[in-house]
Amino acid sequence: IAGAERLTMNSDTTKTTGRARHITFPEHDLSERKFPLPLQNLTRVRSFSFQNVETSVSLSSLDMLMSTFKCLRVLAIKGADFEELPSSVGNLIHLRHLVLSCNKCIIKLPDSICKLLNLQTLNLFMCMQLQDLPKGIGKLINLRALYLTSYQSCLPEKELEGLTSLQFLYIFHCKHLTSLSSGMQHLKALRTLVISHCPGLTSLPSE
């Protein structure tokens, strides 16, 4: 049963099992190609992992994925290159873990991501072109882990204050970061703070 629930497929896949709940998609390039039709019938998928580094993904493919898999708990799109995430990501109300790490092109996240009230992990590690965090990210009251690389010079104070469940904050390669928000003092659940390769950061918030 476990084997039937886990499925590895690519754009040439023609058959699937309706019992599939966990999908790995090691496709090299989806910039012009669409996800296979059988994939669109697997509406009860719980986790989807798209892992190929140096991969280009079209906006229409991402939108199809998020419009189809409304029961997702885990969505991992590692190393894929796309400039924006469709606003339909806000419909994944059951999502617990969102991984967008090592995306060299993404510039911003849609504000609709702030509708994901069950989200526990947001991984934006090495998203070097990310300009800022979406407005309203403080609404993610169940977020426990945030991995962040961005262009921001300062983290948003009021938004950070809302992340009352945040336990792990990792800040990597934020080359333009000069200060940390005083809102971090309100992160009472924070257990681990890791800051690495942020050459412009000279001080931490004072109590």
Side-chain angles (χ1 to χ4, degrees):
I1 295 178
E5 289 187 346
R6 298 187 179 276
L7 179 65
T8 298
M9 60 189 304
N10 57 36
S11 57
D12 296 319
T13 300
T14 58
K15 294 182 180 181
T16 63
T17 170
R19 296 195 301 272
R21 298 291 181 268
H22 309 284
I23 295 179
T24 300
F25 200 88
E27 185 69 39
H28 176 66
D29 188 351
L30 270 173
S31 57
E32 301 297 334
R33 306 178 72 177
K34 296 181 179 180
F35 286 108
L37 287 176
L39 187 64
Q40 300 180 33
N41 297 323
L42 301 177
T43 57
R44 300 180 66 184
V45 170
R46 296 296 188 270
S47 69
F48 185 93
S49 180
F50 187 33
Q51 297 179 312
N52 245 9
V53 178
E54 304 295 338
T55 300
S56 179
V57 186
S58 68
L59 183 62
S60 60
S61 293
L62 290 172
D63 188 55
M64 189 285 296
L65 186 155
M66 294 172 190
S67 298
T68 301
F69 301 148
K70 295 181 179 180
C71 296
L72 277 179
R73 268 62 170 177
V74 179
L75 176 58
I77 313 179
K78 303 175 183 177
D81 289 340
F82 49 88
E83 292 187 359
E84 59 181 319
L85 199 63
S87 59
S88 53
V89 68
N91 297 326
L92 303 179
I93 59 175
H94 303 290
L95 198 65
R96 304 292 195 276
H97 307 283
L98 177 59
V99 179
L100 303 172
S101 56
C102 301
N103 183 324
K104 300 187 298 293
C105 298
I106 193 165
I107 298 174
K108 65 178 182 178
L109 298 173
D111 291 342
S112 62
I113 203 171
C114 303
K115 297 179 181 179
L116 305 179
L117 300 184
N118 290 307
L119 196 66
Q120 297 177 10
T121 302
L122 178 58
N123 190 333
L124 304 170
F125 174 68
M126 296 304 289
C127 293
M128 304 295 287
Q129 301 301 318
L130 186 66
Q131 298 298 311
D132 51 33
L133 293 172
K135 295 180 180 179
I137 196 170
K139 297 177 182 178
L140 301 180
I141 57 175
N142 289 305
L143 192 68
R144 298 178 183 177
L146 174 61
Y147 301 79
L148 178 64
T149 302
S150 83
Y151 250 70
Q152 291 174 283
S153 59
C154 183
L155 301 183
E157 180 175 348
K158 292 183 178 181
E159 300 297 348
L160 278 181
E161 290 180 7
L163 302 179
T164 54
S165 297
L166 195 67
Q167 299 178 15
F168 307 96
L169 177 58
Y170 302 86
I171 303 173
F172 300 101
H173 293 274
C174 295
K175 296 181 180 180
H176 299 274
L177 188 66
T178 58
S179 63
L180 294 181
S181 167
S182 59
M184 293 186 61
Q185 300 177 31
H186 298 275
L187 301 180
K188 302 303 183 182
L190 193 66
R191 298 179 181 177
T192 302
L193 172 63
V194 177
I195 304 173
S196 178
H197 293 83
C198 300
L201 184 63
T202 57
S203 63
L204 297 176
S206 58
E207 295 184 2

